[in-house]
Amino acid sequence: MPKQLYIETVGCQMNVLDSELVVAELLSAGYTLVDAPRKADVILFNTCSVRQHAEDKIYSALGRLKHAKRHRPERIIGVLGCMAQKDQERIFRRAPHVDLVIGPGQLGRLTTLLAEVAAGAGPRIEVSLDRATGSRAAVRESFARYDPLRVVDARAVRHQAMVRIMLGCDRFCTYCIVPRVRGPEQSRPVEEIEAEVRRLADQGCLEVTLLGQTVNSFRGTAAGATVRLADLLGRLHDVEGLRRLRFVTNHPRHMTADLLQAVRDLAKVSPYLHVPAQSGSSAILGRMKRGYTAEQYREMLAEIRATIPEATVTSDFIVGFPGETEEDYRQTVDLVRDARFKNSFIFKYSPRPGTKAAEQYEDDVPEAVKRRRNNELLAVQNAIGGEDNRALVGRTVEILVEGPSKTARKHAEPGGPVQLTGRTVCDRIVVFEGDPSVVGRIVPIEIHKATAVTLFGRTAGHVGSRQSAAAGRE
Ligand code: 5AD
Ligand code: SF4
C-alpha cells in the first residue's frame, strides 16, 4: 500500500524548492501526494521563520492536528525548514504530537528518519549546529547540501525550475534570522550546477531561476579559476534547449558592472532584477547593517538603468523598523516613487529573537503605524505598477505559459479555450484565453488591459518584426 503524503509549504522560493525535492524523493520511495492532511499518513510542514506571523500560522495548523493524531497515532507529523532549525526541541514542547523536526541543513536525512519513526523509534530531531558553537568548518558541514536529482513530476510547472546555486547567508542584516537558520554562505560546485541545468533542459525545462539568499555574491571555481555569477550565466547560456535564465535574490552591494553587462549581453538572461532596498533612509539602512546608503542604492539603480534600459527592477521593504521616524518613512516613499519598481514586497517589521535588532533595539513603532505605512507604501507602489503596466497595452509580449489561471482551475469545463496565465521575461503576469495545448510554450500575446499586478491579453499571430526585439525583452 503506497503511503499518502501531504505537504504544506510557506516562505520563500528556497522553501518551495526544498519541498519540491522532498516530494520528489518521497514519490520515488513509493509515496503518493494528496491534497488534504486528513487523507495523509505523513503530514509535513516546510516552515519559515522570517516573520512571527509565518510561525504563528504553522503552530496553529499543528494545533489543529492534535485530534487527528490521537485518532490515528500511526500518522506521522513532521516540521521541516527554518522554524525547525530555530525552535528545535521547543516544537515538541509546544506540539507534543509532532514526530519529526528537521532543519533545512539536514533534509537529506528525511527518508531515514521517517522510516525510524514509522518503525516505532519515537520522535526524531535533526538540526544543524548553532552558528555560535563549533568551528566554522563544523558549522558549515552541519548545513549539508540537499540537491538530489530532479524529477519532472514533482514540479508544479514542468517547464520552469529553480536551481540552488548557494546556501546560507553571511551578511547578518540586524533584523534577519536567515543567517542563523540557513547557515553560512556556501556556493555550490559549478559542475554540479551545470549538470543540473543540463538535465533540466533535457527534461524540457525552458526557464531556470538560479536561487541564492544573496545570489549575486556567488563565488565558485572551475578549472582552478573563480567563477562569479556573470561567468556562471555565460556558461549556462550555452545549455541547449534552455530559453530563459533568471536569478534571485540580489544584494545591492554585489550588483557589479560585469553582472549587469552579462544581463545586457546574454539573450537568454531575463532583464529582471530583484534587488531589495529594505528602506530609503540611510539612518535606518545603517541600523539594519545593510552595507549601503540610500544614495548608494540610487546610484546602483542608475547604473542598472544606464546599462539595461529595458530592465524591470523589484524590491523588498520593511516598514516600522525600530526608530523609523515619519521622515525616515517619507524617504522610503520617495525612493519607491523615484525608482519605479515593477513591484515591491512590503513587510511590517517583526522582531526575531536571536537577531541583533531584536536584542538591541526596542520595537517602538506602534502596530497601527506599521500598518498605515505598509498600506500607504503599497498604494504608492501599486499606482506605479499600474501606470507601467498600462503602458504595455497595445503591445505584443512573449510569455511562457504556465497553466490555467486560478479562476479557470475553479470553473474548469472540458474542451474549449480556457483562461491561462503566463509570465513575460520581466516576470509580468499575463492572463489570456487560449488552447491548453500552449501550456509550456513561449507564445506572443497582445495586451489589451492592465491592472497594477496583472496584464490581460489575447493570442497574437506573431510578434511583429519591428516589435520583436522589444517584445522579447519587454
Ligand atoms: N521583519 C519583517 N520583514 C523581514 N524580512 C526579513 N526579516 C524580516 C523581519 N524580521 C523581509 C525582508 C527580506 C524579505 C524576504 O523578508 O524584506 O528581503
Ligand atoms: Fe537576511 Fe540580509 Fe542575508 Fe537577505 S542578505 S538573507 S536580509 S541577512
Side-chain angles (χ1 to χ4, degrees):
M1 220 336 238
K3 292 219 168 210
Q4 314 284 302
L5 166 71
Y6 174 80
I7 185 162
E8 201 166 304
T9 307
V10 291
C12 66
Q13 284 167 306
M14 272 300 176
N15 265 16
V16 176
L17 174 59
D18 280 337
S19 288
E20 178 200 318
L21 300 174
V22 160
V23 168
E25 204 172 325
L26 294 180
L27 287 179
S28 48
Y31 283 80
T32 51
L33 209 51
V34 294
D35 59 5
R38 69 191 148 74
K39 300 180 191 165
D41 308 300
V42 174
I43 302 172
L44 300 177
F45 292 94
N46 194 4
T47 62
C48 172
S49 278
V50 120
R51 283 170 291 277
Q52 184 65 45
H53 181 63
E55 295 192 348
D56 293 344
K57 276 203 329 217
I58 295 298
Y59 276 115
S60 47
L62 288 173
R64 285 196 296 275
L65 288 175
K66 207 160 141 188
H67 294 291
K69 175 78 176 176
R70 204 176 294 148
H71 249 55
R72 265 176 60 190
E74 73 284 4
R75 178 177 266 164
I76 298 173
I77 300 176
V79 177
L80 317 178
C82 296
M83 198 182 85
Q85 179 64 36
K86 176 173 156 287
D87 286 358
Q88 307 191 358
E89 306 277 355
R90 265 171 295 171
I91 294 177
F92 293 131
R93 290 204 287 277
R94 279 186 71 171
H97 51 294
V98 167
D99 302 287
L100 201 53
V101 171
I102 308 181
Q106 293 292 326
L107 289 175
R109 300 265 298 130
L110 173 66
T111 319
T112 311
L113 295 171
L114 263 178
E116 288 175 11
V117 174
R124 281 284 178 268
I125 176 164
E126 202 74 72
V127 289
S128 306
L129 294 174
D130 282 339
R131 288 194 73 163
T133 62
S135 68
R136 262 190 81 81
V139 171
R140 204 179 306 131
E141 221 167 278
S142 78
F143 283 92
R145 290 215 309 274
Y146 177 63
D147 289 290
L149 285 182
R150 306 301 288 267
V151 177
V152 180
D153 292 344
R155 280 204 302 284
V157 182
R158 57 195 296 141
H159 305 94
Q160 293 172 317
M162 294 180 267
V163 170
R164 190 178 352 249
I165 67 167
M166 299 169 76
L167 302 175
C169 182
D170 281 345
R171 293 213 63 97
F172 287 94
C173 301
T174 56
Y175 52 82
C176 188
I177 194 72
V178 168
R180 282 160 192 84
V181 292
R182 288 257 170 201
E185 182 175 313
Q186 307 183 59
S187 292
R188 226 180 133 194
V190 172
E191 306 79 53
E192 205 180 294
I193 297 167
E194 286 176 333
E196 185 168 335
V197 173
R198 270 199 300 270
R199 193 181 148 87
L200 286 161
D202 287 346
Q203 291 173 354
C205 182
L206 301 179
E207 179 183 281
V208 162
T209 302
L210 306 176
L211 292 189
Q213 237 63 246
T214 56
V215 73
N216 54 347
S217 70
F218 176 84
R219 183 185 279 271
T221 49
T226 301
V227 175
R228 307 304 308 255
L229 181 59
D231 310 316
L232 183 68
L233 291 171
R235 297 169 73 110
L236 296 176
H237 198 257
D238 296 335
V239 172
E240 212 171 304
L242 195 67
R243 299 276 299 274
R244 289 179 174 184
L245 199 48
R246 322 184 313 156
F247 49 96
V248 286
T249 291
N250 292 287
H251 193 282
R253 277 282 291 263
H254 298 282
M255 220 62 221
T256 50
D258 66 327
L259 178 58
L260 296 181
Q261 284 151 16
V263 177
R264 179 194 62 197
D265 297 339
L266 298 168
K268 291 180 185 173
V269 177
S270 301
Y272 157 74
L273 299 168
H274 181 56
V275 202
Q278 309 296 359
S279 171
S281 151
S282 296
I284 296 294
L285 288 168
R287 280 212 297 283
M288 287 176 165
K289 283 224 170 358
R290 286 290 288 174
Y292 53 85
T293 62
E295 292 67 38
Q296 285 168 326
Y297 185 88
R298 284 168 183 268
E299 281 161 21
M300 178 222 61
L301 265 181
E303 210 144 312
I304 294 178
R305 302 287 184 218
T307 315
I308 323 160
E310 78 277 25
T312 56
V313 182
T314 60
S315 182
D316 292 348
F317 286 96
I318 297 176
V319 291
F321 186 79
E324 187 188 64
T325 62
E326 208 53 29
E327 174 51 28
D328 291 318
Y329 164 67
R330 285 286 140 217
Q331 291 175 6
T332 298
V333 175
D334 287 345
L335 177 59
V336 169
R337 283 220 171 91
D338 297 342
R340 296 199 80 81
F341 299 111
K342 177 187 76 102
N343 66 279
S344 294
F345 299 96
I346 300 163
F347 307 103
K348 291 180 288 180
Y349 171 68
S350 166
R352 307 289 49 226
T355 62
K356 197 167 166 215
E359 278 156 17
Q360 299 190 355
Y361 305 128
E362 193 196 335
D363 181 17
D364 58 358
V365 179
E367 178 60 26
V369 175
K370 286 182 185 170
R371 199 177 321 125
R372 196 237 321 136
R373 289 179 185 171
N374 189 340
N375 293 341
E376 213 180 273
L377 193 60
L378 195 61
V380 173
Q381 173 60 64
N382 281 347
I384 291 163
E387 274 170 32
D388 287 357
N389 270 353
R390 277 193 292 281
L392 290 168
V393 170
R395 277 184 54 186
T396 297
V397 297
E398 281 186 344
I399 69 164
L400 171 55
V401 186
E402 294 178 354
S405 70
K406 260 191 212 143
T407 331
R409 281 201 298 271
K410 271 191 222 138
H411 314 284
E413 275 174 37
V418 284
Q419 197 180 56
L420 301 168
T421 72
R423 273 169 209 267
T424 70
V425 79
C426 286
D427 205 45
R428 295 181 198 274
I429 300 167
V430 180
V431 173
F432 68 105
E433 206 149 89
D435 189 287
S437 66
V438 298
V439 172
R441 300 227 313 258
I442 294 178
V443 297
I445 297 291
E446 191 191 330
I447 304 303
H448 62 75
K449 198 176 110 186
T451 66
V453 285
T454 312
L455 297 167
F456 296 87
R458 55 177 82 92
T459 312
H462 63 285
V463 179
S465 56
R466 208 162 34 86
Q467 287 176 323
S468 95
R473 287 173 67 85
E474 155 289 318

